[in-house]
Coordinates of all heavy atoms in Angstrom, one line a residue:
M763 N 1.7 -19.3 37.0 CA 1.6 -19.8 35.6 C 2.8 -20.6 35.1 O 2.7 -21.5 34.3 CB 1.4 -18.5 34.7 CG 0.0 -18.0 34.7 SD -1.3 -19.2 34.4 CE -1.3 -19.3 32.6
K764 N 4.0 -20.2 35.6 CA 5.2 -20.8 35.2 C 5.1 -22.3 35.6 O 5.5 -23.2 34.9 CB 6.4 -20.2 35.9 CG 7.7 -20.4 35.1 CD 8.8 -19.7 35.7 CE 10.1 -20.0 34.9 NZ 11.3 -19.4 35.5
T765 N 4.6 -22.5 36.8 CA 4.5 -23.9 37.3 C 3.6 -24.7 36.4 O 3.9 -25.9 36.1 CB 4.0 -23.9 38.8 OG1 4.7 -23.0 39.5 CG2 4.1 -25.3 39.4
L766 N 2.5 -24.1 36.1 CA 1.5 -24.8 35.2 C 2.1 -25.2 33.9 O 1.9 -26.3 33.4 CB 0.2 -24.0 35.0 CG -0.9 -24.6 34.2 CD1 -1.4 -25.8 34.9 CD2 -2.0 -23.6 33.9
S767 N 2.8 -24.3 33.2 CA 3.3 -24.6 31.9 C 4.4 -25.6 32.0 O 4.6 -26.4 31.1 CB 3.8 -23.3 31.2 OG 4.7 -22.6 32.1
L768 N 5.2 -25.6 33.1 CA 6.2 -26.6 33.3 C 5.5 -28.0 33.5 O 6.0 -29.0 32.9 CB 7.0 -26.4 34.6 CG 8.3 -25.5 34.4 CD1 8.9 -25.3 35.8 CD2 9.2 -26.3 33.5
F769 N 4.4 -28.0 34.2 CA 3.6 -29.2 34.4 C 3.1 -29.8 33.0 O 3.2 -31.0 32.8 CB 2.5 -29.0 35.3 CG 1.7 -30.2 35.7 CD1 2.3 -31.3 36.4 CD2 0.3 -30.3 35.3 CE1 1.5 -32.4 36.7 CE2 -0.4 -31.4 35.6 CZ 0.2 -32.5 36.3
I770 N 2.6 -28.9 32.2 CA 2.1 -29.3 30.9 C 3.3 -29.9 30.0 O 3.2 -30.9 29.4 CB 1.4 -28.2 30.2 CG1 0.1 -27.9 30.9 CG2 1.1 -28.5 28.7 CD1 -0.6 -26.6 30.5
F771 N 4.4 -29.2 30.1 CA 5.6 -29.6 29.4 C 6.0 -31.0 29.8 O 6.3 -31.9 29.0 CB 6.7 -28.6 29.6 CG 8.0 -29.1 29.0 CD1 8.2 -29.0 27.6 CD2 9.0 -29.6 29.8 CE1 9.4 -29.4 27.1 CE2 10.2 -30.0 29.2 CZ 10.4 -29.9 27.9
F772 N 5.9 -31.2 31.1 CA 6.3 -32.5 31.7 C 5.4 -33.6 31.2 O 5.8 -34.7 30.7 CB 6.2 -32.4 33.2 CG 6.6 -33.7 34.0 CD1 7.9 -34.1 33.9 CD2 5.6 -34.3 34.7 CE1 8.2 -35.3 34.6 CE2 6.0 -35.5 35.4 CZ 7.3 -36.0 35.4
L773 N 4.1 -33.4 31.2 CA 3.1 -34.3 30.7 C 3.3 -34.6 29.2 O 3.2 -35.8 28.8 CB 1.7 -33.8 30.9 CG 1.1 -33.8 32.3 CD1 -0.3 -33.3 32.3 CD2 1.1 -35.3 32.9
T774 N 3.6 -33.6 28.4 CA 3.8 -33.7 27.0 C 5.0 -34.6 26.7 O 5.0 -35.4 25.9 CB 3.9 -32.4 26.3 OG1 2.9 -31.5 26.8 CG2 3.9 -32.5 24.8
S775 N 6.1 -34.4 27.5 CA 7.3 -35.1 27.3 C 7.1 -36.6 27.6 O 7.7 -37.4 27.0 CB 8.5 -34.5 28.1 OG 8.2 -34.5 29.5
I776 N 6.2 -36.9 28.6 CA 5.9 -38.3 28.9 C 5.2 -38.9 27.7 O 5.5 -40.0 27.3 CB 5.1 -38.4 30.2 CG1 6.0 -38.1 31.4 CG2 4.5 -39.8 30.4 CD1 5.2 -38.0 32.7
A777 N 4.2 -38.2 27.2 CA 3.4 -38.7 26.1 C 4.2 -39.0 24.9 O 4.1 -40.0 24.2 CB 2.3 -37.7 25.8
C778 N 5.2 -38.1 24.6 CA 6.1 -38.2 23.5 C 7.0 -39.4 23.6 O 7.3 -40.0 22.6 CB 6.9 -36.9 23.3 SG 5.9 -35.6 22.7
K779 N 7.4 -39.7 24.8 CA 8.4 -40.8 25.0 C 7.8 -42.1 24.5 O 8.6 -43.0 24.2 CB 8.8 -40.8 26.5 CG 10.0 -40.0 26.8 CD 10.4 -40.2 28.3 CE 11.5 -39.2 28.6 NZ 11.8 -39.1 30.0
E780 N 6.5 -42.3 24.6 CA 5.9 -43.5 24.3 C 6.2 -44.0 22.8 O 6.2 -45.1 22.5 CB 4.4 -43.5 24.6 CG 4.2 -43.1 26.0 CD 3.0 -43.8 26.7 OE1 2.3 -44.5 26.0 OE2 2.8 -43.6 27.9
S781 N 6.3 -43.0 21.9 CA 6.5 -43.3 20.6 C 7.9 -42.8 20.1 O 8.1 -42.6 18.9 CB 5.4 -42.7 19.7 OG 5.4 -41.3 19.9
T782 N 8.8 -42.6 21.0 CA 10.2 -42.2 20.6 C 10.9 -43.3 19.8 O 10.8 -44.5 20.2 CB 11.0 -41.9 21.9 OG1 10.4 -40.9 22.6 CG2 12.4 -41.5 21.5
T783 N 11.4 -43.0 18.7 CA 12.2 -43.9 17.9 C 13.6 -44.1 18.5 O 14.2 -43.1 18.7 CB 12.2 -43.5 16.5 OG1 10.9 -43.3 16.0 CG2 13.0 -44.5 15.6
V784 N 14.0 -45.3 18.7 CA 15.3 -45.6 19.1 C 16.0 -46.6 18.1 O 15.3 -47.2 17.3 CB 15.4 -46.1 20.6 CG1 14.9 -45.0 21.5 CG2 14.6 -47.4 20.8
Y785 N 17.2 -46.8 18.3 CA 18.0 -47.7 17.4 C 18.7 -48.8 18.2 O 19.3 -48.5 19.2 CB 18.9 -46.9 16.5 CG 18.2 -45.9 15.7 CD1 18.0 -44.6 16.2 CD2 17.7 -46.2 14.4 CE1 17.4 -43.6 15.5 CE2 17.0 -45.2 13.7 CZ 16.9 -43.9 14.2 OH 16.2 -43.0 13.5
L786 N 18.7 -50.0 17.7 CA 19.3 -51.1 18.3 C 20.3 -51.8 17.3 O 20.0 -51.8 16.1 CB 18.3 -52.2 18.7 CG 17.1 -51.8 19.6 CD1 16.2 -53.1 19.7 CD2 17.5 -51.4 20.9
C787 N 21.4 -52.3 17.9 CA 22.3 -53.1 17.0 C 21.8 -54.5 17.2 O 21.7 -55.0 18.3 CB 23.7 -52.9 17.5 SG 24.9 -53.9 16.5
N788 N 21.5 -55.2 16.0 CA 21.0 -56.5 16.0 C 22.1 -57.6 16.3 O 22.3 -58.5 15.5 CB 20.3 -56.8 14.7 CG 19.5 -58.1 14.8 OD1 19.1 -58.6 15.8 ND2 19.2 -58.6 13.6
S789 N 22.8 -57.5 17.4 CA 23.8 -58.4 17.7 C 23.4 -59.2 18.9 O 22.6 -58.7 19.7 CB 25.2 -57.8 17.9 OG 25.1 -56.9 19.1
E790 N 24.0 -60.4 19.1 CA 23.5 -61.2 20.3 C 23.7 -60.5 21.6 O 22.9 -60.6 22.5 CB 24.3 -62.6 20.3 CG 24.0 -63.5 19.1 CD 25.0 -63.3 18.0 OE1 26.1 -63.9 18.0 OE2 24.8 -62.4 17.1
G791 N 24.8 -59.8 21.7 CA 25.2 -59.2 23.0 C 24.6 -57.8 23.2 O 24.9 -57.2 24.2
G792 N 23.9 -57.3 22.2 CA 23.4 -56.0 22.2 C 22.3 -55.7 23.3 O 21.3 -56.3 23.2
K793 N 22.7 -54.9 24.2 CA 21.7 -54.6 25.3 C 21.4 -53.1 25.4 O 20.9 -52.7 26.4 CB 22.3 -55.1 26.7 CG 22.3 -56.6 26.8 CD 22.6 -57.0 28.2 CE 22.3 -58.5 28.5 NZ 22.9 -59.4 27.6
K794 N 21.8 -52.4 24.4 CA 21.7 -50.9 24.5 C 20.8 -50.4 23.4 O 20.7 -51.0 22.3 CB 23.1 -50.2 24.3 CG 24.1 -50.7 25.3 CD 23.8 -50.1 26.7 CE 24.9 -50.5 27.7 NZ 24.6 -50.1 29.1
Y795 N 20.1 -49.3 23.7 CA 19.4 -48.6 22.7 C 19.9 -47.2 22.5 O 20.6 -46.7 23.4 CB 17.9 -48.6 23.0 CG 17.5 -47.8 24.2 CD1 17.3 -46.4 24.2 CD2 17.2 -48.5 25.4 CE1 16.9 -45.7 25.3 CE2 16.8 -47.7 26.5 CZ 16.7 -46.4 26.5 OH 16.3 -45.7 27.6
H796 N 19.7 -46.7 21.4 CA 20.3 -45.4 21.0 C 19.3 -44.4 20.4 O 18.4 -44.9 19.7 CB 21.4 -45.6 19.9 CG 22.4 -46.7 20.3 ND1 23.6 -46.4 20.8 CD2 22.3 -48.0 20.2 CE1 24.3 -47.5 21.1 NE2 23.5 -48.5 20.7
Y797 N 19.4 -43.2 20.8 CA 18.4 -42.2 20.3 C 18.8 -41.8 18.9 O 18.0 -41.3 18.1 CB 18.4 -40.9 21.2 CG 17.6 -41.2 22.5 CD1 18.3 -41.0 23.7 CD2 16.3 -41.6 22.5 CE1 17.6 -41.3 24.9 CE2 15.6 -41.8 23.6 CZ 16.3 -41.6 24.9 OH 15.6 -41.9 26.0
K798 N 20.1 -41.8 18.6 CA 20.6 -41.4 17.2 C 21.1 -42.6 16.5 O 21.9 -43.3 17.0 CB 21.6 -40.3 17.4 CG 21.1 -39.0 18.0 CD 22.3 -38.1 18.1 CE 22.2 -37.3 19.4 NZ 23.5 -36.8 19.8
S799 N 20.8 -42.7 15.2 CA 21.3 -43.8 14.4 C 22.8 -43.5 14.1 O 23.5 -44.4 13.6 CB 20.5 -43.9 13.1 OG 20.6 -42.7 12.3
T800 N 23.2 -42.3 14.3 CA 24.6 -41.9 14.1 C 25.5 -42.0 15.3 O 26.6 -41.5 15.3 CB 24.7 -40.5 13.5 OG1 24.0 -39.6 14.4 CG2 24.1 -40.4 12.1
C801 N 24.9 -42.5 16.4 CA 25.6 -42.5 17.7 C 27.0 -43.3 17.6 O 27.1 -44.3 16.8 CB 24.7 -43.2 18.7 SG 25.5 -43.5 20.3
R802 N 27.9 -42.9 18.4 CA 29.2 -43.5 18.4 C 29.1 -45.0 18.8 O 29.9 -45.8 18.4 CB 30.1 -42.8 19.4 CG 30.5 -41.4 19.0 CD 31.2 -40.7 20.1 NE 32.6 -41.2 20.3 CZ 33.4 -40.6 21.2 NH1 33.1 -39.6 21.9 NH2 34.7 -41.1 21.3
G803 N 28.1 -45.3 19.7 CA 27.9 -46.6 20.2 C 27.4 -47.6 19.1 O 27.6 -48.8 19.2
L804 N 26.9 -47.0 18.0 CA 26.4 -47.8 16.9 C 27.4 -47.9 15.8 O 27.2 -48.8 14.9 CB 25.0 -47.2 16.4 CG 23.8 -47.6 17.1 CD1 22.6 -46.8 16.5 CD2 23.5 -49.1 17.0
S805 N 28.3 -47.0 15.8 CA 29.3 -47.0 14.7 C 30.1 -48.2 14.5 O 30.6 -48.6 13.4 CB 30.2 -45.7 14.8 OG 30.9 -45.8 15.9
N806 N 30.3 -49.0 15.7 CA 31.0 -50.2 15.6 C 30.1 -51.4 15.5 O 30.6 -52.6 15.7 CB 32.1 -50.3 16.7 CG 31.4 -50.2 18.1 OD1 30.2 -50.2 18.2 ND2 32.2 -50.1 19.1
C807 N 28.9 -51.2 15.2 CA 27.9 -52.3 15.1 C 28.2 -53.1 13.8 O 28.2 -52.5 12.7 CB 26.5 -51.8 15.1 SG 25.2 -53.0 14.8
Q808 N 28.4 -54.4 14.0 CA 28.8 -55.3 12.8 C 27.5 -55.8 12.2 O 27.6 -56.4 11.1 CB 29.7 -56.4 13.2 CG 31.0 -56.0 13.9 CD 31.9 -55.2 13.0 OE1 32.1 -55.6 11.8 NE2 32.3 -54.0 13.4
R809 N 26.4 -55.7 12.8 CA 25.1 -56.3 12.3 C 24.2 -55.1 11.9 O 24.6 -54.0 11.8 CB 24.4 -57.1 13.5 CG 25.3 -58.1 14.1 CD 25.5 -59.2 13.1 NE 26.3 -60.3 13.7 CZ 25.7 -61.5 14.1 NH1 24.4 -61.6 14.1 NH2 26.5 -62.4 14.7
K810 N 23.0 -55.6 11.5 CA 22.0 -54.6 11.1 C 21.5 -53.7 12.2 O 21.4 -54.2 13.3 CB 20.8 -55.4 10.5 CG 20.0 -54.6 9.6 CD 18.8 -55.5 9.1 CE 17.8 -54.7 8.3 NZ 16.6 -55.4 8.1
I811 N 21.3 -52.4 11.9 CA 20.8 -51.5 12.9 C 19.2 -51.5 12.7 O 18.7 -51.3 11.6 CB 21.4 -50.1 12.7 CG1 22.9 -50.2 13.1 CG2 20.6 -49.1 13.6 CD1 23.6 -48.9 12.7
I812 N 18.6 -51.8 13.8 CA 17.1 -51.9 13.8 C 16.5 -50.6 14.4 O 16.9 -50.2 15.4 CB 16.6 -53.1 14.7 CG1 17.3 -54.4 14.3 CG2 15.1 -53.3 14.6 CD1 17.1 -55.5 15.3
E813 N 15.4 -50.2 13.7 CA 14.7 -49.0 14.3 C 13.5 -49.6 15.0 O 12.8 -50.4 14.6 CB 14.2 -48.2 13.1 CG 13.8 -46.8 13.4 CD 13.5 -46.0 12.2 OE1 14.4 -45.8 11.3 OE2 12.3 -45.6 12.0
T814 N 13.3 -49.1 16.3 CA 12.2 -49.6 17.1 C 11.7 -48.4 17.9 O 12.1 -47.3 17.7 CB 12.6 -50.8 17.9 OG1 11.5 -51.3 18.6 CG2 13.7 -50.5 18.9
T815 N 10.8 -48.7 18.9 CA 10.4 -47.6 19.8 C 11.0 -47.8 21.2 O 11.4 -48.9 21.5 CB 8.8 -47.6 19.9 OG1 8.4 -48.8 20.6 CG2 8.2 -47.4 18.6
L816 N 11.0 -46.7 21.9 CA 11.6 -46.7 23.2 C 10.9 -47.8 24.1 O 11.6 -48.5 24.8 CB 11.5 -45.3 23.9 CG 12.2 -45.1 25.2 CD1 13.7 -45.5 25.2 CD2 12.0 -43.7 25.6
D817 N 9.6 -47.8 24.1 CA 8.9 -48.8 24.9 C 9.3 -50.2 24.6 O 9.5 -51.0 25.5 CB 7.4 -48.7 24.6 CG 6.7 -47.6 25.5 OD1 7.5 -46.9 26.2 OD2 5.5 -47.5 25.4
K818 N 9.4 -50.6 23.3 CA 9.8 -51.9 22.9 C 11.2 -52.2 23.3 O 11.5 -53.3 23.8 CB 9.7 -52.1 21.4 CG 8.2 -52.3 20.9 CD 8.2 -52.6 19.4 CE 6.8 -52.6 18.9 NZ 6.8 -52.6 17.4
A819 N 12.1 -51.3 23.1 CA 13.5 -51.5 23.6 C 13.6 -51.8 25.0 O 14.2 -52.7 25.5 CB 14.3 -50.3 23.2
K820 N 12.8 -51.0 25.8 CA 12.8 -51.2 27.3 C 12.2 -52.5 27.7 O 12.7 -53.2 28.6 CB 12.1 -50.0 28.0 CG 12.9 -48.8 28.0 CD 12.2 -47.7 28.9 CE 13.2 -46.5 29.1 NZ 12.5 -45.4 29.8
S821 N 11.1 -52.9 27.0 CA 10.5 -54.2 27.3 C 11.4 -55.4 27.0 O 11.2 -56.5 27.5 CB 9.1 -54.3 26.6 OG 9.3 -54.5 25.2
Q822 N 12.4 -55.1 26.1 CA 13.4 -56.2 25.8 C 14.6 -56.1 26.7 O 15.5 -56.8 26.5 CB 13.8 -56.0 24.3 CG 12.7 -56.4 23.3 CD 13.1 -55.9 21.9 OE1 14.2 -55.5 21.6 NE2 12.1 -55.9 21.0
G823 N 14.5 -55.3 27.7 CA 15.5 -55.2 28.7 C 16.7 -54.3 28.2 O 17.8 -54.4 28.8
K824 N 16.5 -53.5 27.2 CA 17.6 -52.7 26.7 C 17.8 -51.5 27.6 O 16.8 -51.0 28.2 CB 17.4 -52.2 25.3 CG 16.9 -53.3 24.3 CD 18.1 -54.2 23.9 CE 17.6 -55.1 22.8 NZ 18.6 -56.2 22.5
T825 N 19.0 -51.0 27.7 CA 19.3 -49.8 28.5 C 20.0 -48.8 27.6 O 20.5 -49.1 26.6 CB 20.2 -50.1 29.7 OG1 21.4 -50.7 29.3 CG2 19.5 -51.0 30.7
L826 N 19.9 -47.5 28.0 CA 20.4 -46.4 27.2 C 21.9 -46.5 27.1 O 22.6 -46.8 28.0 CB 20.0 -45.1 27.8 CG 20.6 -43.8 27.1 CD1 20.0 -43.7 25.7 CD2 20.1 -42.6 27.9
C827 N 22.4 -46.4 25.9 CA 23.8 -46.4 25.5 C 24.6 -45.4 26.4 O 24.1 -44.3 26.7 CB 23.9 -46.0 24.0 SG 25.3 -45.1 23.5
G828 N 25.8 -45.8 26.7 CA 26.6 -45.0 27.6 C 27.1 -43.6 27.0 O 27.3 -42.7 27.7
W829 N 27.1 -43.5 25.7 CA 27.5 -42.3 25.1 C 26.4 -41.2 25.2 O 26.6 -40.0 24.9 CB 27.8 -42.5 23.6 CG 29.0 -43.3 23.4 CD1 28.9 -44.6 22.9 CD2 30.3 -43.0 23.6 NE1 30.2 -45.1 22.8 CE2 31.1 -44.2 23.2 CE3 31.0 -41.9 24.1 CZ2 32.5 -44.2 23.3 CZ3 32.4 -41.9 24.2 CH2 33.1 -43.1 23.8
E830 N 25.2 -41.6 25.4 CA 24.0 -40.7 25.4 C 23.5 -40.3 26.7 O 22.4 -39.7 26.8 CB 23.0 -41.3 24.4 CG 23.5 -41.4 23.0 CD 22.5 -42.1 22.1 OE1 21.4 -41.6 21.9 OE2 22.9 -43.2 21.6
K831 N 24.1 -40.6 27.8 CA 23.6 -40.3 29.1 C 23.8 -38.9 29.5 O 24.8 -38.3 29.0 CB 24.3 -41.2 30.2 CG 23.6 -42.5 30.2 CD 24.3 -43.5 31.2 CE 23.6 -44.8 31.2 NZ 24.3 -45.9 31.8
Ligands
LIG2006 ZN1 24.2 -44.6 21.6

C-alpha cells in the first residue's frame, strides 16, 4: 500500500507542476525562474517581476534560480 500511495503522490505532483506559478524578472539577461516572488534572486531585479507558469518559463529556456535548488 505504501508503494501505491507514493505512486499516486508522484502522479499528483506531476499534474500540479503543469500549473505551478513561477516568477521572472523582466530583464534582457534574465534566464531564471523563481518559485517565490520574495526570493533573494528577485530582490535585486531592477525591472518588473512577471508572474507566469512553470511550463511557460521552461519553454522560454528559463532555468531554476540558484537560490532555490
Ligand atoms: Zn529564486
Side-chain angles (χ1 to χ4, degrees):
M763 280 311 275
K764 202 174 180 186
T765 312
L766 181 64
S767 52
L768 268 177
F769 182 64
I770 291 168
F771 174 75
F772 181 66
L773 285 182
T774 311
S775 60
I776 289 174
C778 287
K779 266 183 188 167
E780 306 214 355
S781 57
T782 301
T783 302
V784 296
Y785 302 90
L786 307 172
C787 182
N788 190 23
S789 64
E790 294 93 86
K793 288 191 165 56
K794 302 288 180 185
Y795 64 82
H796 309 262
Y797 287 120
K798 293 178 220 159
S799 62
T800 54
C801 174
R802 291 170 75 174
L804 276 172
S805 63
N806 56 8
C807 178
Q808 303 295 309
R809 303 293 183 98
K810 202 179 168 191
I811 293 170
I812 308 167
E813 201 175 294
T814 184
T815 64
L816 185 57
D817 273 6
K818 282 188 189 169
K820 282 187 174 175
S821 71
Q822 289 166 14
K824 312 284 186 188
T825 56
L826 179 61
C827 146
W829 295 109
E830 296 174 60
K831 276 177 183 167

